[in-house]
Amino acid sequence: MEKFDDIKNDLKGLSHIQLSKNEKESIRDALTEYISYKPNRSKETYENTSYRFWLTWMRQPMPVFAAVLIFLVGGGTVAAAEGALPGDVLYPIKVSVNEEIRGTFALSSEAKADWNITRAERRLEEASLLLADGELSEETRKELDMRIENYTDQAQLLTQNTRKEDERFIVLATRLEIARGARDRITRAVSRASATIAGSGVATHEMRNVSAFDADEEQAPESALFIETMRMESTSLVPDDSVHTTALSKSEENAYKTDRTVNGEQARARTQLTALQNRLKSTHTFIERARHRITESSYSKAEEELQRMEELLRSGIDALAQEQFSSASVSFENALQLSLDIHDIVNIGENPIQPVREVEFHTPTIDPIPSPTHLPLEITPVETPKRPIL
Amino acid sequence: MAQPSQNTEKAFLKAYDEYADAIFRFCMVKVSDRERALDLTQDTFTRVWEYSTKGNEISNWKPFLFRTAHNLIIDYYRKKKSVSLDEMEEEVGFLPSETAGIPAEVYAEYNIALQKLNELDETYRDPVMLRVVEGLSPRDIAETLGISENVVSVRVHRGVAKLREIANENRKK
């Protein structure tokens, strides 16, 4: 037998790495719970009860219904349903069949939360596409809003036990927050359109003008843009704390926890930056295209606001460079809000409906489910100057 | 009389009590991130339990657990290609969460040990650690790393020789 007592002695320091008592107990408790949830069976029992797989499916009517439907109507229909929008014949298949089936493959809480957020994003995308076509009725918006609320609430519940400093939690929380932000923007856009319709009486034209802002030519609609940038960022912005290996004193450990929060803020700010950069381009194109139909003063005002957007972008980038993520986030958010005002200037006149709102920054968190009163489900009437569309 | 499933549960939890620290240590040395190592440790035991729920019998828990952990670590690095391994290796020295009570000399000893291990080529690092620190037999290491027993013996022998050589050079200095 090889003798390596000397080397064993050299490496004995490694044995200091061990689980703390709390950690060991915590993992043991989780495993015990897991065992009770998923009991062991002997090989014979396992083989003999494979038919129970089918019984399990029989207990879930939706997937069975889905399977039967796929069999009856063919996979092509199901695939075609993926592009369906509310009001289309295939839309119920998309939501109640395709998505339900995909949902059954999400096993862990995080995967389920992820899938719920994705479903919320899909509803947002549908809302923005309908908005772009001027076909987002109040009824449809409310229905989509209700679904989004349901998905985001479920995602919140599912991530309650995830460690708050975990990078997966930060990404999910950021996605959740952006999805909610996009939902609010759509609500506001519809609200503005409704208010304008009430003021001018040129419903269809105005509605299309509102949507034109987001759907101008081949520009991505607002929320789709958000979602796209969000997806782009979600992989690259994961706080890379796996390289965090510095020895920590107690105070340094606290600082490290702060770093985790900063990483969340950083992810948020960078996501907003990408969204803003895209928004600047689309806003610029929007102003140029609208130039022939607006007054010179409206055009100048819109250009002025666009410059303010660019200034906010620059100051946000500066703040980002100095690692002042919350400050950067406020700048980016204000600039994004300005783009809505530019839209108002072009479509309504020189006086924006509302002044630029100073946004209060808050770190992405998943709090207990808010009561419905906290969520802007209803359209708030907005006072608009009664001006004819130019 | 206890049911077979109850026996498996007992054996599984006993394996956890006995090997959780070793699995955590293995993960920790490989990923140099305490939080990640905790996740990997839990995932290791969860996966092993899942395997046993499908009617599979595990006769030797220790190498099976190490093999599962080893596979999960490989998966982790595949997903995390962007992270420079060299960079991670340079930044060694992550203490357990209850660091406040650990004397400075113990911590220094841990750091020195990790540095020594990291001086070895990756080929030799795992076999040496599993053999010298965790006390696995060459056969169990072979099962863990998916290589032959002979290869394990050769790598342990060369790795240990290399560590001795480094130690001698340091003494001369």
Side-chain angles (χ1 to χ4, degrees):
Chain A
M1 187 182 161
E2 268 189 281
K3 296 284 180 196
F4 29 66
D5 288 348
D6 53 335
I7 301 299
K8 199 170 186 173
N9 192 46
D10 279 352
L11 299 180
K12 72 177 180 188
L14 289 177
S15 60
H16 296 316
I17 305 175
Q18 55 187 10
L19 293 161
S20 71
K21 197 182 167 194
N22 285 343
E23 287 165 346
K24 198 165 183 176
E25 279 174 6
S26 161
I27 296 178
R28 198 181 200 280
D29 289 346
L31 289 172
T32 311
E33 200 180 323
Y34 189 68
I35 288 171
S36 62
Y37 167 73
K38 207 166 184 179
N40 184 279
R41 287 172 287 169
S42 68
K43 199 172 183 71
E44 293 75 26
T45 318
Y46 182 76
E47 284 168 355
N48 291 339
T49 57
S50 60
Y51 70 89
R52 287 190 184 176
F53 169 79
W54 297 105
L55 285 179
T56 310
W57 274 68
M58 292 302 284
R59 288 195 201 104
Q60 299 179 44
M62 194 50 79
V64 173
F65 167 71
V68 172
L69 202 73
I70 291 169
F71 179 74
L72 292 176
V73 299
T77 310
V78 173
E82 273 301 291
L85 291 173
D88 292 349
V89 179
L90 293 177
Y91 187 71
I93 294 180
K94 178 184 180 181
V95 178
S96 304
V97 178
N98 294 12
E99 291 184 0
E100 290 294 333
I101 288 180
R102 284 177 65 181
T104 57
F105 292 103
L107 300 177
S108 69
S109 295
E110 276 160 15
K112 283 176 185 164
D114 187 283
W115 176 236
N116 271 296
I117 296 174
T118 303
R119 287 187 90 173
E121 289 165 5
R122 284 162 73 97
R123 298 297 84 80
L124 281 167
E125 206 163 349
E126 289 160 7
S128 62
L129 286 170
L130 287 173
L131 187 65
D133 292 340
E135 289 171 3
L136 183 61
S137 69
E138 180 55 17
E139 193 186 344
T140 311
R141 190 199 66 80
K142 273 187 177 169
E143 190 191 323
L144 290 173
D145 203 64
M146 201 174 66
R147 285 179 188 272
I148 292 165
E149 187 193 356
N150 186 25
Y151 299 142
T152 49
D153 285 352
Q154 281 185 41
Q156 251 182 244
L157 269 177
L158 289 160
T159 47
Q160 266 177 353
N161 293 328
T162 310
R163 278 195 295 273
K164 300 290 178 282
E165 62 274 19
D166 192 301
E167 66 187 37
R168 287 167 294 186
F169 174 84
I170 293 169
V171 169
L172 284 175
T174 308
R175 282 180 64 198
L176 198 56
E177 192 190 31
I178 291 176
R180 282 183 167 151
R183 187 184 76 158
D184 292 348
R185 284 176 207 285
I186 287 176
T187 305
R188 280 205 296 273
V190 176
S191 171
R192 280 161 195 245
S194 306
T196 312
I197 291 162
S200 66
V202 274
T204 311
H205 174 67
E206 184 54 17
M207 191 72 168
R208 288 189 183 281
N209 270 342
V210 169
S211 62
F213 173 68
D214 289 322
D216 194 18
E217 290 291 325
E218 292 179 5
Q219 297 293 341
E222 180 179 270
S223 98
L225 193 68
F226 255 78
I227 292 160
E228 190 52 39
T229 51
M230 184 170 58
R231 282 185 181 147
M232 249 160 46
E233 294 293 308
S234 62
T235 48
S236 60
L237 290 179
V238 174
D240 200 1
D241 47 24
S242 59
V243 292
H244 182 93
T245 50
T246 319
L248 300 179
S249 68
K250 201 74 185 171
S251 60
E252 284 169 335
E253 199 174 333
N254 288 334
Y256 173 48
K257 282 174 185 164
T258 312
D259 276 355
R260 298 263 194 169
T261 314
V262 168
N263 278 333
E265 290 175 1
Q266 186 178 5
R268 184 179 192 271
R270 286 195 179 172
T271 306
Q272 286 171 321
L273 170 62
T274 314
L276 178 58
Q277 283 168 334
N278 288 329
R279 183 72 65 81
L280 261 172
K281 280 184 206 162
S282 62
T283 306
H284 179 72
T285 313
F286 173 65
I287 295 171
E288 289 307 314
R289 285 180 192 278
R291 189 173 185 175
H292 68 278
R293 63 178 174 86
I294 58 175
T295 62
E296 194 55 40
S297 61
S298 289
Y299 177 75
S300 304
K301 181 74 182 164
E303 279 287 299
E304 204 179 294
E305 295 295 297
L306 189 67
Q307 278 174 15
R308 279 182 64 198
M309 270 181 83
E310 285 168 347
E311 279 165 21
L312 283 165
L313 171 72
R314 278 194 293 274
S315 67
I317 290 172
D318 287 347
L320 208 57
Q322 291 164 23
E323 300 190 344
Q324 294 168 352
F325 304 119
S326 57
S327 166
S329 192
V330 171
S331 295
F332 296 147
E333 185 62 30
N334 282 334
L336 286 165
Q337 296 285 1
L338 262 181
S339 67
L340 293 180
D341 292 327
I342 292 175
H343 150 254
D344 290 336
I345 292 166
V346 172
N347 279 316
I348 300 162
E350 289 161 42
N351 300 318
I353 292 170
Q354 288 170 353
V356 177
R357 290 158 293 280
E358 290 298 323
V359 176
E360 194 183 331
F361 174 78
H362 58 95
T363 308
T365 50
I366 294 185
D367 300 321
I369 293 181
S371 66
T373 49
H374 294 159
L375 298 169
L377 293 176
E378 299 300 325
I379 291 178
T380 315
V382 180
E383 279 186 29
T384 49
K386 294 182 180 178
R387 287 184 183 212
I389 305 301
L390 295 172
Chain B
M1 191 180 160
Q3 295 291 316
S5 61
Q6 286 175 330
N7 287 337
T8 313
E9 278 179 30
K10 274 186 188 170
F12 174 75
L13 290 173
K14 188 166 176 266
Y16 173 78
D17 293 337
E18 276 181 33
Y19 307 125
D21 281 331
I23 296 296
F24 173 70
R25 190 159 43 236
F26 183 63
C27 295
M28 183 70 188
V29 167
K30 299 289 281 178
V31 300
S32 302
D33 179 326
R34 189 173 183 84
E35 291 295 321
R36 188 62 54 197
L38 279 171
D39 283 349
L40 285 166
T41 305
Q42 185 164 336
D43 283 354
T44 300
F45 282 93
T46 309
R47 292 285 179 93
V48 168
W49 178 254
E50 267 178 21
Y51 178 80
S52 77
T53 60
K54 290 173 184 167
N56 299 301
E57 280 179 25
I58 301 166
S59 53
N60 197 352
W61 290 88
K62 195 175 181 182
F64 194 82
L65 285 164
F66 272 104
R67 185 174 177 83
T68 308
H70 182 252
N71 289 343
L72 285 171
I73 291 163
I74 289 172
D75 285 350
Y76 166 72
Y77 277 110
R78 278 187 189 140
K79 287 177 191 163
K80 204 82 184 166
K81 273 180 190 166
S82 57
V83 178
S84 156
L85 194 61
D86 292 339
E87 192 184 347
M88 291 177 70
E89 285 167 359
E90 280 167 16
E91 297 178 33
V92 291
F94 194 99
L95 270 183
S97 58
E98 292 171 2
T99 52
I102 295 180
E105 61 271 21
V106 175
Y107 171 58
E109 199 177 25
Y110 154 74
N111 244 344
I112 290 165
L114 197 55
Q115 276 171 15
K116 280 180 184 166
L117 189 70
N118 284 333
E119 280 185 64
L120 281 181
D121 189 90
E122 209 179 342
T123 317
Y124 304 123
R125 208 179 299 152
D126 285 350
V128 168
M129 187 188 167
L130 291 171
R131 184 79 183 104
V132 178
V133 181
E134 304 302 343
L136 264 72
S137 69
R139 192 177 183 173
D140 288 348
I141 298 171
E143 199 181 317
T144 300
L145 301 177
I147 50 179
S148 77
E149 216 175 312
N150 282 341
V151 172
V152 170
S153 298
V154 169
R155 287 186 185 175
V156 170
H157 179 75
R158 285 182 185 169
V160 166
K162 179 75 182 166
L163 282 175
R164 282 189 183 127
E165 191 186 316
I166 293 167
N168 285 335
E169 277 174 16
N170 288 340
R171 266 184 224 114
K172 281 175 193 171
K173 283 176 192 169

Coordinates of all heavy atoms in Angstrom, one line a residue, chain B residues 39-70:
Chain B
D39 N -25.3 24.1 -3.0 CA -26.4 23.6 -3.9 C -26.0 22.3 -4.5 O -26.8 21.4 -4.7 CB -26.5 24.7 -5.1 CG -27.3 25.9 -4.6 OD1 -27.9 25.8 -3.5 OD2 -27.3 26.9 -5.3
L40 N -24.7 22.2 -4.9 CA -24.2 21.0 -5.6 C -24.3 19.8 -4.6 O -24.7 18.7 -5.0 CB -22.8 21.1 -6.0 CG -22.6 22.0 -7.3 CD1 -21.1 22.3 -7.5 CD2 -23.1 21.2 -8.5
T41 N -24.0 20.0 -3.3 CA -24.1 19.0 -2.3 C -25.6 18.5 -2.2 O -25.9 17.3 -2.3 CB -23.7 19.5 -1.0 OG1 -22.3 20.0 -1.1 CG2 -23.7 18.4 0.1
Q42 N -26.5 19.4 -2.1 CA -27.9 19.0 -2.0 C -28.4 18.3 -3.3 O -29.1 17.3 -3.2 CB -28.8 20.3 -1.7 CG -30.2 19.9 -1.5 CD -31.0 21.0 -0.8 OE1 -30.5 21.9 -0.2 NE2 -32.3 21.0 -1.0
D43 N -28.0 18.9 -4.4 CA -28.3 18.2 -5.7 C -27.8 16.8 -5.8 O -28.5 15.9 -6.3 CB -27.8 19.0 -6.9 CG -28.6 20.3 -7.1 OD1 -29.6 20.5 -6.4 OD2 -28.2 21.1 -8.0
T44 N -26.6 16.6 -5.3 CA -26.0 15.3 -5.3 C -26.9 14.3 -4.6 O -27.2 13.2 -5.2 CB -24.6 15.3 -4.7 OG1 -23.8 16.2 -5.4 CG2 -24.0 13.9 -4.7
F45 N -27.3 14.6 -3.4 CA -28.1 13.7 -2.6 C -29.5 13.5 -3.2 O -30.0 12.4 -3.2 CB -28.1 14.1 -1.1 CG -26.8 13.8 -0.4 CD1 -25.8 14.7 -0.3 CD2 -26.6 12.6 0.2 CE1 -24.6 14.4 0.4 CE2 -25.5 12.2 0.8 CZ -24.4 13.2 0.9
T46 N -30.0 14.6 -3.7 CA -31.3 14.5 -4.3 C -31.3 13.6 -5.5 O -32.2 12.7 -5.7 CB -31.8 15.9 -4.8 OG1 -31.7 16.8 -3.7 CG2 -33.2 15.9 -5.2
R47 N -30.3 13.7 -6.4 CA -30.2 12.9 -7.6 C -30.0 11.4 -7.2 O -30.6 10.5 -7.8 CB -28.9 13.3 -8.4 CG -29.1 14.7 -9.1 CD -30.0 14.6 -10.2 NE -30.2 15.9 -10.8 CZ -29.4 16.4 -11.8 NH1 -28.5 15.6 -12.4 NH2 -29.6 17.6 -12.3
V48 N -29.2 11.2 -6.2 CA -28.9 9.8 -5.8 C -30.2 9.2 -5.2 O -30.5 8.1 -5.5 CB -27.8 9.8 -4.7 CG1 -27.7 8.4 -4.0 CG2 -26.5 10.1 -5.3
W49 N -31.0 10.0 -4.5 CA -32.3 9.5 -4.0 C -33.2 9.2 -5.2 O -33.9 8.2 -5.2 CB -32.9 10.5 -3.0 CG -34.2 9.9 -2.5 CD1 -35.5 10.4 -2.9 CD2 -34.5 8.8 -1.7 NE1 -36.4 9.6 -2.3 CE2 -35.8 8.6 -1.5 CE3 -33.6 7.9 -1.0 CZ2 -36.4 7.6 -0.8 CZ3 -34.2 6.9 -0.2 CH2 -35.6 6.8 -0.1
E50 N -33.2 10.1 -6.1 CA -34.1 9.9 -7.3 C -33.7 8.6 -8.0 O -34.6 7.8 -8.4 CB -33.9 11.0 -8.3 CG -34.9 12.1 -8.1 CD -34.7 13.3 -9.0 OE1 -34.1 13.1 -10.1 OE2 -35.1 14.4 -8.7
Y51 N -32.4 8.3 -8.1 CA -31.9 7.1 -8.7 C -32.5 5.9 -8.0 O -32.9 4.9 -8.6 CB -30.4 7.1 -8.7 CG -29.8 5.9 -9.3 CD1 -29.7 5.7 -10.7 CD2 -29.3 4.9 -8.5 CE1 -29.1 4.6 -11.2 CE2 -28.7 3.8 -9.0 CZ -28.6 3.6 -10.4 OH -28.0 2.5 -10.9
S52 N -32.4 6.0 -6.6 CA -32.8 4.8 -5.8 C -34.4 4.6 -5.9 O -34.8 3.5 -5.7 CB -32.3 4.9 -4.4 OG -33.1 5.8 -3.7
T53 N -35.1 5.7 -6.1 CA -36.6 5.6 -6.2 C -37.0 4.8 -7.4 O -38.1 4.4 -7.5 CB -37.3 6.9 -6.2 OG1 -36.9 7.7 -7.3 CG2 -37.1 7.7 -4.9
K54 N -36.1 4.7 -8.4 CA -36.5 4.0 -9.6 C -36.2 2.5 -9.5 O -36.1 1.8 -10.5 CB -35.8 4.6 -10.8 CG -36.3 6.0 -11.1 CD -35.5 6.7 -12.2 CE -36.1 8.1 -12.3 NZ -35.1 9.0 -13.1
G55 N -36.0 2.1 -8.3 CA -35.8 0.6 -8.1 C -34.4 0.2 -8.2 O -34.1 -1.0 -8.2
N56 N -33.4 1.2 -8.3 CA -32.0 0.8 -8.4 C -31.4 0.7 -7.0 O -31.7 1.5 -6.1 CB -31.2 1.9 -9.1 CG -31.8 2.1 -10.6 OD1 -31.8 1.1 -11.3 ND2 -32.3 3.3 -10.8
E57 N -30.6 -0.4 -6.9 CA -30.0 -0.6 -5.5 C -28.6 0.0 -5.5 O -27.8 -0.1 -6.5 CB -29.9 -2.1 -5.2 CG -31.3 -2.6 -4.7 CD -31.2 -4.1 -4.5 OE1 -30.1 -4.6 -4.2 OE2 -32.3 -4.7 -4.5
I58 N -28.2 0.6 -4.4 CA -26.9 1.2 -4.3 C -26.2 0.5 -3.2 O -26.6 0.6 -2.0 CB -26.9 2.7 -4.0 CG1 -27.7 3.5 -5.1 CG2 -25.5 3.3 -3.8 CD1 -28.1 4.9 -4.8
S59 N -25.1 -0.3 -3.6 CA -24.5 -1.1 -2.5 C -23.3 -0.3 -1.9 O -23.1 -0.4 -0.7 CB -23.9 -2.3 -3.2 OG -23.1 -2.0 -4.3
N60 N -22.7 0.6 -2.6 CA -21.6 1.3 -2.1 C -21.8 2.8 -2.2 O -21.6 3.4 -3.3 CB -20.3 0.9 -2.8 CG -19.0 1.3 -2.0 OD1 -19.1 2.1 -1.0 ND2 -17.9 0.9 -2.5
W61 N -22.3 3.4 -1.2 CA -22.8 4.8 -1.3 C -21.7 5.8 -1.6 O -21.9 6.7 -2.4 CB -23.5 5.2 0.0 CG -24.8 4.5 0.2 CD1 -25.1 3.3 0.8 CD2 -26.1 5.0 -0.3 NE1 -26.4 2.9 0.7 CE2 -27.1 4.0 0.1 CE3 -26.6 6.1 -0.9 CZ2 -28.4 4.1 -0.2 CZ3 -27.9 6.2 -1.2 CH2 -28.9 5.2 -0.9
K62 N -20.6 5.6 -0.9 CA -19.6 6.7 -1.0 C -19.1 7.0 -2.4 O -19.2 8.1 -2.9 CB -18.4 6.3 -0.1 CG -17.4 7.4 0.2 CD -16.4 7.0 1.2 CE -15.4 8.2 1.4 NZ -14.4 7.9 2.4
P63 N -18.6 5.9 -3.2 CA -18.2 6.2 -4.5 C -19.3 6.7 -5.4 O -19.1 7.5 -6.3 CB -17.6 4.9 -5.1 CG -18.1 3.9 -4.2 CD -18.4 4.5 -2.8
F64 N -20.5 6.2 -5.1 CA -21.7 6.6 -6.0 C -22.0 8.1 -5.8 O -22.3 8.8 -6.7 CB -22.9 5.7 -5.6 CG -24.0 5.8 -6.6 CD1 -23.9 5.1 -7.8 CD2 -25.0 6.7 -6.4 CE1 -24.9 5.2 -8.7 CE2 -26.0 6.8 -7.4 CZ -26.0 6.1 -8.5
L65 N -21.9 8.5 -4.5 CA -22.1 9.9 -4.2 C -21.1 10.8 -4.9 O -21.4 11.8 -5.5 CB -22.2 10.1 -2.7 CG -23.4 9.7 -2.0 CD1 -23.2 9.6 -0.5 CD2 -24.6 10.6 -2.2
F66 N -19.8 10.4 -4.8 CA -18.7 11.2 -5.4 C -18.9 11.2 -6.9 O -18.7 12.2 -7.5 CB -17.4 10.6 -5.0 CG -16.8 11.1 -3.7 CD1 -16.9 10.4 -2.5 CD2 -16.3 12.4 -3.7 CE1 -16.4 10.9 -1.4 CE2 -15.8 12.9 -2.5 CZ -15.9 12.2 -1.3
R67 N -19.3 10.1 -7.5 CA -19.5 10.1 -8.9 C -20.6 11.1 -9.3 O -20.4 11.8 -10.3 CB -19.8 8.7 -9.4 CG -19.8 8.6 -10.9 CD -20.0 7.2 -11.5 NE -20.1 7.2 -12.9 CZ -19.1 7.3 -13.7 NH1 -17.9 7.3 -13.3 NH2 -19.3 7.3 -15.0
T68 N -21.7 11.0 -8.6 CA -22.8 11.9 -8.9 C -22.3 13.4 -8.8 O -22.6 14.2 -9.6 CB -24.0 11.6 -7.9 OG1 -24.3 10.2 -8.0 CG2 -25.2 12.4 -8.3
A69 N -21.6 13.7 -7.7 CA -21.1 15.0 -7.5 C -20.2 15.4 -8.6 O -20.3 16.6 -9.1 CB -20.4 15.1 -6.1
H70 N -19.3 14.5 -9.0 CA -18.4 14.8 -10.1 C -19.1 15.1 -11.4 O -18.8 16.1 -12.0 CB -17.5 13.5 -10.2 CG -16.4 13.7 -11.3 ND1 -16.5 13.0 -12.5 CD2 -15.3 14.4 -11.3 CE1 -15.5 13.3 -13.2 NE2 -14.7 14.2 -12.5

